[in-house]
Amino acid sequence: MALADKSIRREAAVPFVLKLLAIMALILLLAPVVVVILAGLNSGDHLTFPPKGLSLRWVIAFFQSDAFLPAYLFSLVLAVVTMIISTILGTSIALFLARTEFRGKQMVRAFFMAPLMLPGIVLGLALYLFYLSSGLGLVRTMPGLVIGHVLVTCPYVIGTVNAALVGFDTTLEEAARSLGAKPLKTFRAITLPVISPGIIAGSVFSFIVSFGQFDVSLFLTPPDSNPLPIALYSSLRYTFEPTAAAAGIFAIFLVVVSMLITAKLTNLRQLANVNFS
Amino acid sequence: MSNGSKKLVDLKRRGLLKGGAAAAVLAGPVSLFNINHVWSQDVMWDGQPFDAGGATIRINEWGGFWQEFMQKNAIDEFEKTYNCKVAYDSSFPWFPKYIAGGPEAPAFHMGNWNLNEIIKLGRAGDFFLSTDELKENLPNAADCWDFAFGSGLGITWGFGQYAHVWRTDLVDPAPVGFKSFWEDRFADKRATYITSNGLFMTFFMTAAAEFGSGPDDLEAGFEAMRAAMPMKISDFTGNMQTLVERGEVQMGVQWEGEIFLQMDKGIAVAPLTWEKKPILTQTHTVSRYSDPMEKKLALALVNTKLDPVFQNKAADTFYLRPSNKKAELPERLTNKGVTNTADALDGLWIPDWNWYLDNEDEIVETTNEIFAG
Amino acid sequence: MSAFLQRIGKPGRGALLAAPGVFFFAIFFVVPLVSLFLLSLDKPSIGNASVQWMFDFRNFERFFGRALYYEAAIRSAGLAALVSAITLVLGYPLAFLIAKTTNVRRNTTLMILVLCAMQLDMVIRLFGLMVLMGDVGIINEFLRWIGIIGDEPLPLMYNFTGVVVGLVQFSLPFMVLSLVGVIQGINPSLEEAARSLGARRWQTFWKITVPMSMPGILAGLLLVFAISFSSYVVPTLMGGWKVVVLPIHIFQQVAELGKWQFGAAIAVVMFAISFLVMLIYQRAAAQASGGRI
């Protein structure tokens, strides 16, 4: 690389105004997080800020809690199941939409995005009514809840996989096929590596959206197994407790750990690519 | 019971639905209805523990710490004694779930919630057993004060008085009387609840009574709400606690139990009990059209909650006053001057929910306009 | 010829591929939604939630006839549009920073920070926001301390501002994540070429980077619009009952008043508005990608 390129690279740093706005955005994002973390580490008796002192007592209370810990684990399982189903369905839909041309394709695309457009509570209620009248035995069950979660997370997967497919050169696939490779092999060897960042990104989105999902879960939650957002809401209706803040801390902890792991597998920035058109 | 015979019961149930309901309206809840109804036998519970064979009943009740208390002090024991499973739904609101299924397919077999929701549901359909039927089947019900049956649809097992919660360290001199809420010094530092919250409804009716000719004086109520602006609107009592603790609000609508609990945590608040003495109630309902086994379990569970020992524990944990005459009050209530006697109940007022529900549309719309400024 | 045959062959296989997804959506999305729409065409009746096939429009007449409701529709759409715009202005620089930071550890950290903010539960987040933005919150106390404001606090919460801030705070990560990959994917040689031709940093930014990141910008705008438009929790908890948007009306009608038919009608109106926005997005996206190299 010539010296001229080096100087361009140095000057390619982010302009000051943009950096300022970026920092403002980061502060906006993280300030509530910091408050909640500190509140959860409070050594005092009730939820307050600033904390009277720092202690792990509420974190321990969270581990011993009959309401929050099971809810946390349930949310985890729910999010993983939702992630798997959403990723499979979303990827297949995205592939289909990217490869085929037909009239009204745009409407169909819009249609698959539609679950995001409706309030989660409407979706939840519509599904609840549907389960009751259809007699499929889904009312108040976990599969019923999963279905609701898959509906609202699928669009994200479709978006990220579609973004990865937009620049994909289909002639590569055609070349492989004309060389005699079967479709499945073509998919695994050629297509998959290219779109895998999109698939991983979609999975991550699905997981996070499902884990934090409140609106859809409100009417579909089976009794006795609450997702964490519902458990927090039900508890906070009555009493604002530091245990709730500790639960929040643990959710964040989960993200940090899983993202650190993911970062080993792929550059995290690759995850962020979305296209719905 | 085999599947076949169960279906027969279902069919008969639907057929008798209209007839039974009509008969109930005509003949009163006890005599005719019970005799004609196909499972009048099933409604009977002899008050003795029984083996439910692992059946599951669904209940709706508050979550969080409340749920933990209930599990530890009533439900765990109950599940063992009766060999059953209690599926506990704490995700409020429950009203739409009941409505979606209709009375014949009750979303829950037993519930613990507030009177305004219960009566609203009762008006929408024949969802619950009447208090007379409950009295027949619950041994502990005989020991309860009369007001516990006032709604006709459920048994109130605990109650507390409404009070303003105020910050003793931020407010000086101390406020006196219900109307102190409207003092200028509290402008934008006072709070009430959204219209769907029962505490707002009682607040509205009390304001109407204090400023007007009675709790049904709509205009006086609306005027009072207008005069109270600017004020903050809270969603639920947990949020009100936080608002007060943070100092965002110096006076708010609350009930004694939560105020005492905050005081125990060392927060500088105190209650200002309302002179009109409205009470906040925790009421149990039993769904009418549950299957027989679940219905018996529901009855048994309600009975457990009416037990004096349990009520004493609830009072000790939540400052919830018992409705059972035989319940002993814990020290933390007695040292605040509370007694469990007929005199203590003198003047306690349960709002007229039926009147409120008749006028709810107008109250909600007008009040929301006032709140929106 | 063989290429053409291959192309015909593809839809066949592709259709099989998409079948489970389409099937899933058909049963669990289309059917419940259609039932809901049919419900909106029934006469109002409290306590009844099953479709009666009446094909009556009075619910819609009620909606469009009362200012309370159609103003809420305008408020909802306006709020969502405003939030989308603000989120773009704040989110683009952050996405740009992450995309342009070459140090792997730094950009991983930034990404993780963004994802952490996404993961914080909504209700407990309210506590955090209350501590920050309340009348006696950190911001107001700070402003009071440095003397900018007197006794009267800046009303940042329990009003429209509070809802906007809450929604922006909630949607920012979605916007950032929609943008980072696209910005990063812009061929650096394009920017280098522009610079070597003498363009300043800002010119490059506005003439090359931003137009080339348009697909990401549009996707982010759409996503944030959808999220803010359909949000129930944030306007409820942050709006102080002054910002009554359509989801709040729906919840009131269905969950509190038992008026399923009217609630369903409001949902239909919401769906129509969002569908319109979606089509606008697709039009814009088609035009934008038409300009791509």
Side-chain angles (χ1 to χ4, degrees), chain B residues 110-162:
Chain B
M110 182 204 102
N112 171 51
W113 38 341
N114 298 127
L115 274 179
N116 53 305
E117 295 266 305
I118 294 172
I119 295 182
K120 191 173 8 178
L121 206 51
R123 285 153 68 108
D126 187 22
F127 282 91
F128 304 122
L129 288 180
S130 72
T131 43
D132 287 323
E133 290 164 301
L134 289 172
K135 264 194 243 181
E136 272 191 25
N137 288 283
L138 301 175
N140 282 331
D143 297 327
C144 290
W145 298 106
D146 283 336
F147 81 88
F149 308 101
S151 66
L153 289 172
I155 296 193
T156 298
W157 61 275
F159 68 100
Q161 292 195 89
Y162 275 83

Side-chain angles (χ1 to χ4, degrees), chain A residues 85-100 102 105 108-113 115 150-151 153-162 165 187 195 199 276-277, chain C residues 13-26 29:
Chain A
I85 300 180
S86 253
T87 307
I88 296 176
L89 289 181
T91 307
S92 57
I93 293 175
L95 278 170
F96 171 65
L97 285 175
R99 296 304 165 73
T100 23
F102 53 90
K105 184 162 109 160
V108 173
R109 261 199 207 285
F111 172 74
F112 280 115
M113 270 290 286
V150 169
L151 276 180
T153 52
C154 231
Y156 292 101
V157 179
I158 298 178
T160 53
V161 174
N162 187 48
L165 282 171
F187 181 74
I195 62 173
I199 297 182
F276 297 112
S277 62
Chain C
R13 231 171 278 121
L16 210 63
L17 195 62
V22 174
F23 193 59
F24 181 85
F25 264 74
F29 185 57

Side-chain angles (χ1 to χ4, degrees), chain A residues 9 11 18 28-29 92 96 106 110-111 117 125 174 177 215 229 251 255-256 259 268-269 272 276-277, chain C residues 7 13 17 30 93 98-99 101 107 111 115 119 121 169 177 181 184 192 195 201 233 274 278 281-282:
Chain A
R9 208 134 303 186
E11 236 243 318
L18 289 184
L28 177 62
L29 276 180
S92 57
F96 171 65
Q106 292 296 66
F111 172 74
M117 297 294 189
L125 276 170
E174 288 173 23
R177 298 259 294 289
D215 296 19
V255 169
V256 175
M259 284 306 107
L268 275 189
R269 288 185 304 175
F276 297 112
S277 62
Chain C
R7 235 170 257 285
R13 231 171 278 121
L17 195 62
V30 178
I98 298 178
T101 303
N107 68 50
M111 283 293 286
L115 291 167
Q119 188 69 332
D121 177 80
Q169 205 270 349
L177 291 179
Q184 234 207 309
E192 284 173 27
R195 303 283 293 290
R201 267 189 323 185
V233 185
S274 346
M278 180 76 196
Y281 160 82
Q282 287 183 339

Side-chain angles (χ1 to χ4, degrees), chain C residues 215-236:
Chain C
I217 292 179
L218 290 172
L221 283 174
L222 181 70
L223 193 53
V224 173
F225 185 91
I227 291 172
S228 349
F229 188 63
S230 58
S231 173
Y232 167 72
V233 185
V234 178
T236 304

Side-chain angles (χ1 to χ4, degrees), chain A residues 205-253:
Chain A
F205 259 115
S206 307
F207 182 88
I208 293 182
V209 171
S210 165
F211 195 87
Q213 183 64 230
F214 175 80
D215 296 19
V216 174
S217 307
L218 190 56
F219 295 106
L220 297 176
T221 300
D224 262 357
S225 8
N226 284 346
L228 189 62
I230 304 280
L232 281 173
Y233 181 69
S234 307
S235 164
L236 293 175
R237 283 188 69 90
Y238 190 71
T239 302
F240 251 68
E241 278 198 323
T243 331
I249 296 178
F250 260 77
I252 295 172
F253 177 72

Side-chain angles (χ1 to χ4, degrees), chain C residues 2-79:
Chain C
S2 59
F4 177 72
L5 282 172
Q6 274 181 332
R7 235 170 257 285
I8 295 186
K10 267 202 195 127
R13 231 171 278 121
L16 210 63
L17 195 62
V22 174
F23 193 59
F24 181 85
F25 264 74
I27 297 185
F28 294 113
F29 185 57
V30 178
V31 175
L33 220 59
V34 167
S35 308
L36 204 64
F37 292 178
L38 286 174
L39 197 61
S40 73
L41 295 172
D42 283 344
K43 290 210 194 79
S45 95
I46 300 190
N48 180 26
S50 44
V51 182
Q52 304 291 325
W53 304 90
M54 287 177 191
F55 294 104
D56 183 301
F57 282 94
R58 70 184 63 194
N59 290 315
F60 291 99
E61 282 167 18
R62 175 148 185 237
F63 184 88
F64 289 106
R66 301 183 88 150
L68 181 67
Y69 299 118
Y70 65 70
E71 277 176 9
I74 298 174
R75 190 178 300 128
S76 275
L79 176 66

